[in-house]
PDB file of all heavy atoms in Angstrom:
ATOM      1  N   SER A 225       0.566   2.240  -0.848  1.00  0.00           N
ATOM      2  CA  SER A 225       1.368   3.451  -0.922  1.00  0.00           C
ATOM      3  C   SER A 225       1.118   4.323   0.296  1.00  0.00           C
ATOM      4  O   SER A 225       0.170   4.116   1.065  1.00  0.00           O
ATOM      5  CB  SER A 225       1.006   4.251  -2.189  1.00  0.00           C
ATOM      6  OG  SER A 225      -0.296   4.775  -2.063  1.00  0.00           O
ATOM      7  N   THR A 226       1.997   5.348   0.435  1.00  0.00           N
ATOM      8  CA  THR A 226       1.833   6.266   1.565  1.00  0.00           C
ATOM      9  C   THR A 226       0.500   6.982   1.495  1.00  0.00           C
ATOM     10  O   THR A 226      -0.197   7.152   2.503  1.00  0.00           O
ATOM     11  CB  THR A 226       2.970   7.296   1.566  1.00  0.00           C
ATOM     12  OG1 THR A 226       4.210   6.607   1.652  1.00  0.00           O
ATOM     13  CG2 THR A 226       2.825   8.250   2.739  1.00  0.00           C
ATOM     14  N   ASP A 227       0.105   7.419   0.266  1.00  0.00           N
ATOM     15  CA  ASP A 227      -1.180   8.103   0.100  1.00  0.00           C
ATOM     16  C   ASP A 227      -2.336   7.197   0.473  1.00  0.00           C
ATOM     17  O   ASP A 227      -3.316   7.620   1.096  1.00  0.00           O
ATOM     18  CB  ASP A 227      -1.347   8.585  -1.344  1.00  0.00           C
ATOM     19  CG  ASP A 227      -0.397   9.725  -1.666  1.00  0.00           C
ATOM     20  OD1 ASP A 227       0.113  10.347  -0.703  1.00  0.00           O
ATOM     21  OD2 ASP A 227      -0.172   9.988  -2.855  1.00  0.00           O
ATOM     22  N   GLU A 228      -2.234   5.929   0.068  1.00  0.00           N
ATOM     23  CA  GLU A 228      -3.323   4.996   0.375  1.00  0.00           C
ATOM     24  C   GLU A 228      -3.399   4.748   1.883  1.00  0.00           C
ATOM     25  O   GLU A 228      -4.497   4.622   2.450  1.00  0.00           O
ATOM     26  CB  GLU A 228      -3.083   3.673  -0.358  1.00  0.00           C
ATOM     27  CG  GLU A 228      -3.302   3.771  -1.865  1.00  0.00           C
ATOM     28  CD  GLU A 228      -2.907   2.483  -2.575  1.00  0.00           C
ATOM     29  OE1 GLU A 228      -1.997   1.783  -2.084  1.00  0.00           O
ATOM     30  OE2 GLU A 228      -3.517   2.182  -3.612  1.00  0.00           O
ATOM     31  N   GLN A 229      -2.230   4.696   2.522  1.00  0.00           N
ATOM     32  CA  GLN A 229      -2.233   4.504   3.962  1.00  0.00           C
ATOM     33  C   GLN A 229      -2.879   5.679   4.675  1.00  0.00           C
ATOM     34  O   GLN A 229      -3.642   5.509   5.633  1.00  0.00           O
ATOM     35  CB  GLN A 229      -0.797   4.336   4.462  1.00  0.00           C
ATOM     36  CG  GLN A 229      -0.181   3.003   4.042  1.00  0.00           C
ATOM     37  CD  GLN A 229       1.265   2.908   4.470  1.00  0.00           C
ATOM     38  OE1 GLN A 229       1.886   3.925   4.772  1.00  0.00           O
ATOM     39  NE2 GLN A 229       1.813   1.711   4.492  1.00  0.00           N
ATOM     40  N   GLN A 230      -2.601   6.911   4.193  1.00  0.00           N
ATOM     41  CA  GLN A 230      -3.175   8.095   4.818  1.00  0.00           C
ATOM     42  C   GLN A 230      -4.674   8.172   4.596  1.00  0.00           C
ATOM     43  O   GLN A 230      -5.414   8.692   5.420  1.00  0.00           O
ATOM     44  CB  GLN A 230      -2.501   9.357   4.269  1.00  0.00           C
ATOM     45  CG  GLN A 230      -1.045   9.485   4.698  1.00  0.00           C
ATOM     46  CD  GLN A 230      -0.367  10.678   4.056  1.00  0.00           C
ATOM     47  OE1 GLN A 230      -0.864  11.234   3.065  1.00  0.00           O
ATOM     48  NE2 GLN A 230       0.778  11.084   4.617  1.00  0.00           N
ATOM     49  N   ALA A 231      -5.130   7.668   3.419  1.00  0.00           N
ATOM     50  CA  ALA A 231      -6.554   7.734   3.097  1.00  0.00           C
ATOM     51  C   ALA A 231      -7.353   6.639   3.777  1.00  0.00           C
ATOM     52  O   ALA A 231      -8.578   6.706   3.864  1.00  0.00           O
ATOM     53  CB  ALA A 231      -6.755   7.650   1.574  1.00  0.00           C
ATOM     54  N   ALA A 232      -6.671   5.577   4.215  1.00  0.00           N
ATOM     55  CA  ALA A 232      -7.387   4.458   4.820  1.00  0.00           C
ATOM     56  C   ALA A 232      -8.050   4.899   6.118  1.00  0.00           C
ATOM     57  O   ALA A 232      -7.450   5.627   6.909  1.00  0.00           O
ATOM     58  CB  ALA A 232      -6.416   3.317   5.111  1.00  0.00           C
ATOM     59  N   PRO A 233      -9.319   4.499   6.354  1.00  0.00           N
ATOM     60  CA  PRO A 233     -10.007   4.896   7.579  1.00  0.00           C
ATOM     61  C   PRO A 233      -9.347   4.274   8.802  1.00  0.00           C
ATOM     62  O   PRO A 233      -8.757   3.190   8.738  1.00  0.00           O
ATOM     63  CB  PRO A 233     -11.429   4.348   7.378  1.00  0.00           C
ATOM     64  CG  PRO A 233     -11.263   3.210   6.416  1.00  0.00           C
ATOM     65  CD  PRO A 233     -10.139   3.624   5.501  1.00  0.00           C
ATOM     66  N   ALA A 234      -9.432   5.001   9.915  1.00  0.00           N
ATOM     67  CA  ALA A 234      -8.870   4.478  11.158  1.00  0.00           C
ATOM     68  C   ALA A 234      -9.630   3.228  11.570  1.00  0.00           C
ATOM     69  O   ALA A 234     -10.858   3.165  11.493  1.00  0.00           O
ATOM     70  CB  ALA A 234      -8.965   5.538  12.253  1.00  0.00           C
ATOM     71  N   ARG A 235      -8.897   2.223  11.973  1.00  0.00           N
ATOM     72  CA  ARG A 235      -9.523   0.965  12.346  1.00  0.00           C
ATOM     73  C   ARG A 235      -9.805   0.944  13.842  1.00  0.00           C
ATOM     74  O   ARG A 235      -9.046   1.474  14.641  1.00  0.00           O
ATOM     75  CB  ARG A 235      -8.599  -0.205  11.999  1.00  0.00           C
ATOM     76  CG  ARG A 235      -8.364  -0.364  10.502  1.00  0.00           C
ATOM     77  CD  ARG A 235      -7.421  -1.528  10.239  1.00  0.00           C
ATOM     78  NE  ARG A 235      -7.196  -1.721   8.802  1.00  0.00           N
ATOM     79  CZ  ARG A 235      -6.364  -2.640   8.305  1.00  0.00           C
ATOM     80  NH1 ARG A 235      -5.668  -3.413   9.135  1.00  0.00           N
ATOM     81  NH2 ARG A 235      -6.213  -2.765   7.008  1.00  0.00           N
ATOM     82  N   ARG A 236     -10.919   0.331  14.169  1.00  0.00           N
ATOM     83  CA  ARG A 236     -11.239   0.169  15.574  1.00  0.00           C
ATOM     84  C   ARG A 236     -10.333  -0.898  16.175  1.00  0.00           C
ATOM     85  O   ARG A 236      -9.906  -1.814  15.485  1.00  0.00           O
ATOM     86  CB  ARG A 236     -12.704  -0.248  15.742  1.00  0.00           C
ATOM     87  CG  ARG A 236     -13.697   0.821  15.314  1.00  0.00           C
ATOM     88  CD  ARG A 236     -15.115   0.337  15.522  1.00  0.00           C
ATOM     89  NE  ARG A 236     -16.091   1.355  15.163  1.00  0.00           N
ATOM     90  CZ  ARG A 236     -17.395   1.174  15.218  1.00  0.00           C
ATOM     91  NH1 ARG A 236     -17.885   0.007  15.617  1.00  0.00           N
ATOM     92  NH2 ARG A 236     -18.221   2.143  14.878  1.00  0.00           N
ATOM     93  N   PRO A 237     -10.043  -0.769  17.452  1.00  0.00           N
ATOM     94  CA  PRO A 237      -9.213  -1.790  18.091  1.00  0.00           C
ATOM     95  C   PRO A 237      -9.851  -3.164  17.954  1.00  0.00           C
ATOM     96  O   PRO A 237     -11.064  -3.321  18.067  1.00  0.00           O
ATOM     97  CB  PRO A 237      -9.177  -1.338  19.562  1.00  0.00           C
ATOM     98  CG  PRO A 237      -9.476   0.120  19.509  1.00  0.00           C
ATOM     99  CD  PRO A 237     -10.417   0.302  18.363  1.00  0.00           C
ATOM    100  N   ARG A 238      -9.016  -4.146  17.680  1.00  0.00           N
ATOM    101  CA  ARG A 238      -9.507  -5.509  17.529  1.00  0.00           C
ATOM    102  C   ARG A 238      -8.674  -6.431  18.402  1.00  0.00           C
ATOM    103  O   ARG A 238      -7.627  -6.064  18.904  1.00  0.00           O
ATOM    104  CB  ARG A 238      -9.434  -5.941  16.065  1.00  0.00           C
ATOM    105  CG  ARG A 238     -10.288  -5.075  15.132  1.00  0.00           C
ATOM    106  CD  ARG A 238     -10.091  -5.482  13.688  1.00  0.00           C
ATOM    107  NE  ARG A 238     -10.546  -6.846  13.462  1.00  0.00           N
ATOM    108  CZ  ARG A 238     -10.445  -7.475  12.281  1.00  0.00           C
ATOM    109  NH1 ARG A 238      -9.894  -6.866  11.242  1.00  0.00           N
ATOM    110  NH2 ARG A 238     -10.882  -8.708  12.146  1.00  0.00           N
ATOM    111  N   GLY A 239      -9.148  -7.650  18.533  1.00  0.00           N
ATOM    112  CA  GLY A 239      -8.379  -8.653  19.242  1.00  0.00           C
ATOM    113  C   GLY A 239      -8.410  -8.468  20.744  1.00  0.00           C
ATOM    114  O   GLY A 239      -9.346  -7.913  21.321  1.00  0.00           O
TER     115      GLY A 239
END
Side-chain angles (χ1 to χ4, degrees):
S225 69
T226 301
D227 290 342
E228 288 174 330
Q229 289 176 342
Q230 292 175 343
R235 295 179 179 177
R236 294 181 178 178
R238 299 176 64 182

